[in-house]
Amino acid sequence: MSDQTIRSLGATFTDTGVEFAVWSRNAERIELCMFDAEGKKEILCLPFTRDGDEHRLFVKNAKHGMRYGLRAHGTYDPDQGLWFDPSKLLIDPYAKELDRPFQYDPRLSIVGEDTRDLMPKAIVTRDVAVAPAKPLFQPGGLIYEIAVKPFTMLHPDVPAKQRGTVAALAHPSVIAHLKRLRVNAVELMPITAWIDERHLPPLGLTNGWGYNPVAFMALDPRLVPGGMKELRETVAALHAEGIAVILDLVFNHTGESDRHGPTLSLRGLDNPTYFRHLPDQPGTLVNDTGTGNTVACDQPATRRLIMDSLRHFVRHAGIDGFRFDLATVIGRGGKGFDPDSMTLRAMLADEVLRDRILIAEPWDIGPGGYQLGNFSAPFLEWSDRARDDLRRFWRGDARIGDLATVLAGSSSIFGRDGRTQTRSVNFLAAHDGFTLMDLVSYENKHNEANGENNRDGHNENFSWNNGVEGKTADPSVQRKRRADIEAMLSTLFATRGTIMLTAGDEGGRSQQGNNNAYCQDNAITWMDWTTLDEELIGHTAWLSGLRRRFGAFGEMDFFRGDGDVSWFSAAGSSLTTAEWEAPDADMLGMAIRTQDLDNGRSTRLAVVVNRTPNELGIRPPPSERSGWSLLIAAGETPAGEQITIPARSVIFLVET
């Protein structure tokens, strides 16, 4: 079977027109509906010809820019899992461009209600290939998580028309910020087309994060009004500065939601195939995602759609890698999660994808859904265990052994079965949850603005407020919060493996205590560049420079214990078993062998953590050379035999 045959679904240009192809096993027939240039008037509907489970139609002289949708005929019987309703205009799952965003309307769920006026129209486009290239990102680097609109909407240097779009990421001022932080890759939260959850419009809210997709390939016109050309050019601009681009993709569910949700695409084309249902209950959708439905990623047609979507972004935009939301779903079959599932194996074996960076969010809410450490290499995995242990350590309710485990790459999780490398993505905060500033400013979530009486969002955030709940003008509280953020950032940048920082955390961005701000497409989530803490940004940039300078941090191999790492006490001596197990231990020293890439030599670097609210005097470990120097932003200074560590801080020493 040729490559062209394998990839023939969707709209494919030929010399004389466009061939349309749609997959559906259960539809009786499918129609192609063509619209005028404004996408408002339906001018012609043509029937597809069935070819097995594929439905094909050739439209002679069809042009680039043609607007179209689909209608699927068949039985409407939701109790049997059948949602065929030809009154519903459907989006081609292989659509690559839409003429407008999705907007929720109750009519989208009403059987027999024509939705041509509500639905976006797919636009026939020509694919433009980019030159093949190896991914720029390497495991062990710094990933910077970005929600495109909140990150750029208030940037004072970005032209007004570009704010809130992918194109804004290519602006020189934005790139300068990324380079100052020495970002290795930006990870873009979903930029493919999504729809609001149905409870949001009555509340006057909109989904600002995009984790409610409809079309897996089509870029959302709100974020990428220039389509693939805009994405391709932005990726090229970032690549020119040495910055890779990772897309956060959602294959675990669609915005068609539960039984009462809208019929938009996959549900109307072949619900029994594309979604999981309870055994012997075809009318009951499985909800392993918490969103109302779960995509059946083990089905061959679904696997083909996922694989074609990934190849599309690599071939036509040069994307370096992907992060998969609720990735356990992708590995699910009839018997639960399988790390060796055909869909996951297909990603690792595919000639286009096998060198891409693949990152799993290794959980869902279904049975056996927590799979941290169980994805096959080379998948990297978000480690919520590292996140929670780092938070709990600085809050005061985790021991130094928990911290040491994270610093060393979490071998207890990722070193099972004789594995020798960490695949952990370490982070302190992500889009979902408190920002780093809110983590040290709020003991409790404050999600009242979400309209759910503060019931939504995580209840246990391992957070603390430094004496005052929320915003305060008290300078002593502000100093404590900044110190805590600096200490946590220092700890994160000292961890072994890949690290991730969410945009704005380097400058003290707050969401007013909202830890589930997906529906706040407003000032709560928009990053106010004029109020960012320059001192914190400078500290983060300095840490990133240290991480670049000392190669051991970014290495993926676990420590071997042959002198490559040692752990020491305040006296500078190796930790005893009693000291490791002491519940009140608040200080930890780690000395690692590393390459000093700035000076081209091998050395030792010490990281010393002081969790106490007081200054702490310590002795560095015995030097194998002439002594130790304290690393500070201004350079290096001799450390001496006795060192004072400020309260709630982390210091770095290099052997000289």
Side-chain angles (χ1 to χ4, degrees):
M1 184 177 288
S2 71
D3 186 68
Q4 179 60 36
T5 302
I6 292 173
R7 305 182 197 288
S8 63
L9 294 179
T12 305
F13 274 100
T14 72
D15 293 338
T16 56
V18 177
E19 182 183 53
F20 295 87
V22 180
W23 193 96
S24 177
R25 174 171 296 153
N26 292 292
E28 294 174 4
R29 63 188 175 92
I30 295 177
E31 294 175 320
L32 176 79
C33 299
M34 293 178 281
F35 289 80
D36 63 10
E38 286 73 40
K40 295 181 179 180
K41 183 179 180 181
E42 189 172 326
I43 56 178
L44 185 64
C45 269
L46 299 174
F48 283 79
T49 299
R50 185 163 199 142
D51 180 11
D53 292 334
E54 294 181 3
H55 304 250
R56 297 183 173 277
L57 171 66
F58 182 77
V59 180
K60 189 175 181 180
N61 297 325
K63 304 294 184 183
H64 174 86
M66 169 184 155
R67 267 72 168 164
Y68 74 99
L70 305 171
R71 295 188 190 275
H73 297 255
T75 301
Y76 181 84
D77 186 356
D79 287 340
Q80 296 302 312
L82 301 173
W83 258 277
F84 294 109
D85 179 1
S87 73
K88 294 290 175 284
L89 191 73
L90 305 174
I91 290 296
D92 181 356
Y94 278 73
K96 296 169 182 172
E97 189 172 335
L98 303 179
D99 68 347
R100 72 197 75 171
F102 286 95
Q103 288 189 325
Y104 179 80
D105 189 288
R107 289 168 50 205
L108 294 167
S109 305
I110 300 175
V111 62
E113 189 83 16
D114 197 291
T115 57
R116 76 185 77 183
D117 60 317
L118 300 175
M119 288 290 288
K121 312 306 183 294
I123 302 175
V124 175
T125 60
R126 289 187 182 273
D127 291 329
V128 177
V130 299
K134 294 290 185 182
L136 285 182
F137 183 79
Q138 294 297 318
L142 168 61
I143 296 172
Y144 190 72
E145 186 192 37
I146 292 175
V148 171
K149 184 176 180 181
F151 183 64
T152 63
M153 197 64 187
L154 300 179
H155 197 295
D157 296 338
V158 174
K161 289 184 178 180
Q162 280 191 347
R163 292 176 188 170
T165 73
V166 162
L169 300 178
H171 189 276
S173 292
V174 174
I175 289 178
H177 183 74
L178 299 175
K179 293 190 72 173
R180 180 185 180 189
L181 297 177
R182 295 175 173 84
V183 168
N184 297 112
V186 292
E187 182 176 297
L188 307 186
M189 287 164 57
I191 60 173
T192 55
W194 77 87
I195 191 168
D196 285 337
E197 292 81 353
R198 65 176 177 269
H199 73 279
L200 294 181
L203 296 171
L205 300 172
T206 58
N207 186 320
W209 283 358
Y211 289 97
N212 205 37
V214 178
F216 292 160
M217 294 189 198
L219 299 170
D220 196 283
R222 289 166 287 195
L223 297 183
V224 205
M228 282 298 288
K229 181 176 184 290
E230 179 177 336
L231 178 60
R232 185 166 52 249
E233 291 177 350
T234 300
V235 171
L238 290 165
H239 280 179
E241 301 294 339
I243 301 169
V245 180
I246 297 169
L247 294 187
D248 189 342
L249 297 180
V250 183
F251 293 131
N252 60 77
H253 78 282
T254 78
E256 289 164 299
S257 188
D258 58 18
R259 185 184 178 107
H260 306 292
T263 298
L264 307 169
S265 183
L266 297 180
R267 167 173 289 173
L269 286 170
D270 202 323
N271 176 74
T273 295
Y274 286 115
F275 297 98
R276 305 198 74 83
H277 302 79
L278 289 181
D280 303 320
Q281 296 183 45
T284 304
L285 290 159
V286 169
N287 188 21
D288 290 338
T289 62
T291 61
N293 65 51
T294 303
V295 173
C297 297
D298 59 330
Q299 291 294 321
T302 312
R303 182 182 312 121
R304 182 178 179 182
L305 174 59
I306 290 171
M307 295 294 292
D308 285 347
S309 299
L310 297 175
R311 294 186 192 108
H312 170 63
F313 287 117
V314 174
R315 285 175 163 161
H316 305 127
I319 295 301
D320 298 273
F322 304 95
R323 180 262 186 187
F324 300 106
D325 185 66
L326 299 185
T328 298
V329 169
I330 299 176
R332 280 194 179 275
K335 297 181 179 180
F337 174 76
D338 179 5
D340 200 35
S341 73
M342 290 188 67
T343 303
L344 294 175
R345 280 197 290 123
M347 293 181 188
L348 300 180
D350 186 81
E351 62 180 10
V352 176
L353 304 176
R354 61 190 174 199
D355 67 348
R356 298 297 107 173
I357 299 299
L358 304 176
I359 304 173
E361 182 184 40
W363 53 77
D364 63 27
I365 66 168
Y370 190 71
Q371 293 293 332
L372 179 64
N374 292 334
F375 280 74
S376 298
F379 269 94
L380 302 177
E381 300 182 36
W382 270 28
S383 178
D384 64 331
R385 189 79 57 80
R387 176 200 66 193
D388 291 350
D389 283 349
L390 290 175
R391 291 181 177 191
R392 290 176 58 243
F393 176 81
W394 283 105
R395 190 172 73 167
D397 51 353
R399 299 190 180 187
I400 59 172
D402 300 316
L403 174 62
T405 296
V406 178
L407 290 172
S410 302
S411 61
S412 59
I413 297 170
F414 297 102
R416 297 195 293 261
D417 302 321
R419 296 174 178 175
T420 60
Q421 289 192 323
T422 183
R423 292 178 292 105
S424 181
V425 177
N426 302 319
F427 62 101
L428 291 161
H431 63 271
D432 188 9
F434 277 150
T435 68
L436 195 52
M437 174 58 78
D438 288 352
L439 186 68
V440 300
S441 304
Y442 294 88
E443 287 191 356
N444 303 295
K445 66 183 183 182
H446 293 269
N447 297 353
E448 291 81 6
N450 296 353
E452 299 185 46
N453 296 315
N454 207 33
R455 294 190 303 269
D456 62 309
H458 297 297
N459 289 317
E460 181 50 85
N461 299 280
F462 305 112
S463 62
W464 62 100
N465 64 20
N466 278 287
V468 177
E469 186 75 355
K471 190 174 181 179
T472 179
D474 187 326
S476 66
V477 174
Q478 291 176 345
R479 284 193 299 271
K480 289 179 181 178
R481 289 176 178 175
R482 176 185 286 165
D484 281 355
I485 292 175
E486 288 186 354
M488 286 193 291
L489 286 170
S490 297
T491 312
L492 173 65
F493 276 77
T495 59
R496 188 93 155 181
T498 304
I499 63 171
M500 186 184 76
L501 183 69
T502 296
D505 279 349
E506 74 277 14
R509 183 180 69 92
S510 172
Q511 290 179 169
Q512 303 172 30
N514 193 318
N515 76 347
N516 191 33
Y518 76 101
C519 58
Q520 300 298 330
D521 186 14
N522 51 45
I524 290 178
T525 57
W526 295 356
M527 193 159 120
D528 186 349
W529 290 77
T530 65
T531 62
L532 294 181
D533 187 324
E534 179 62 27
E535 187 174 325
L536 276 179
I537 295 173
H539 179 70
T540 307
W542 177 72
L543 290 170
S544 194
L546 283 187
R547 191 174 173 89
R548 285 269 186 107
R549 176 180 169 184
F550 296 104
F553 292 134
E555 291 180 10
M556 305 301 285
D557 292 336
F558 293 121
F559 292 120
R560 299 178 300 276
D562 58 0
D564 54 354
V565 64
S566 61
W567 308 93
F568 60 91
S569 68
S573 55
S574 296
L575 285 170
T576 65
T577 300
E579 288 172 327
W580 274 116
E581 296 177 351
D584 58 347
D586 288 318
M587 175 270 169
L588 177 67
M590 175 181 72
I592 54 177
R593 294 197 182 280
T594 181
Q595 287 295 311
D596 183 341
L597 301 177
D598 281 0
N599 297 308
R601 62 184 175 88
S602 179
T603 188
R604 283 198 303 164
L605 182 77
V607 182
V608 189
V609 178
N610 174 20
R611 181 171 60 179
T612 72
N614 305 304
E615 289 185 348
L616 182 65
I618 69 122
R619 294 177 64 88
S623 175
E624 298 175 357
R625 298 188 177 181
S626 58
W628 295 89
S629 288
L630 178 66
L631 294 168
I632 56 177
E636 301 179 16
T637 182
E641 295 184 0
Q642 187 78 13
I643 304 171
T644 299
I645 307 176
R648 306 280 293 173
S649 72
V650 178
I651 66 166
F652 297 84
L653 305 168
V654 64
E655 198 167 29
T656 58

